[in-house]
Amino acid sequence: YDFFRTQSDLTGPINADWIPGQLNYRLAGAYETRGHWTDFRSEETEYWTAQLDYHPSKWLSIFLEYQEGYNRIDGIGRDAATQPAGRP
């Protein structure tokens, strides 16, 4: 039912003479859109993250992470339907 998904992931070291130790990064993201078997209903999802991993010495490690996500459901479907009072 009209499904599409793509994702990307980049990772590697950050080399700089003024940074002691080892610094690594990771950037990742995903996007997904899908239709539904009912008419006029769709769903869209986005997700991304950024990470830094820093090792200034072999005894210390600092890990920072940021995540963001978004989900949107539009339209009508079984979840939006209501039954009249007194009917099964």
Side-chain angles (χ1 to χ4, degrees), residues 1-4 33-39 41-43:
Y1 299 101
D2 235 0
F3 178 79
F4 172 78
T33 182
R34 67 174 69 194
H36 196 264
W37 64 272
T38 61
D39 290 337
R41 184 168 175 180
S42 64
E43 184 174 350

Side-chain angles (χ1 to χ4, degrees), residues 18-41:
W18 53 272
I19 300 175
Q22 183 180 3
L23 179 62
N24 300 310
Y25 74 92
R26 179 178 184 220
L27 301 172
Y31 175 79
E32 179 179 306
T33 182
R34 67 174 69 194
H36 196 264
W37 64 272
T38 61
D39 290 337
F40 312 113
R41 184 168 175 180

Side-chain angles (χ1 to χ4, degrees), residues 30 44 83:
E44 180 181 21
Q83 291 284 339

Side-chain angles (χ1 to χ4, degrees), residues 14-87:
I14 298 176
N15 298 320
D17 294 335
W18 53 272
I19 300 175
Q22 183 180 3
L23 179 62
N24 300 310
Y25 74 92
R26 179 178 184 220
L27 301 172
Y31 175 79
E32 179 179 306
T33 182
R34 67 174 69 194
H36 196 264
W37 64 272
T38 61
D39 290 337
F40 312 113
R41 184 168 175 180
S42 64
E43 184 174 350
E44 180 181 21
T45 304
E46 295 177 25
Y47 169 78
W48 54 92
T49 185
Q51 300 172 345
L52 287 175
D53 188 17
Y54 181 47
H55 299 271
S57 70
K58 68 180 191 177
W59 298 283
L60 179 63
S61 177
I62 300 169
F63 183 77
L64 301 173
E65 179 177 33
Y66 175 78
Q67 295 183 9
E68 182 84 25
Y70 169 79
N71 191 32
R72 180 180 175 142
I73 300 173
D74 285 328
I76 51 178
R78 185 181 62 82
D79 297 24
T82 58
Q83 291 284 339
R87 298 200 58 166

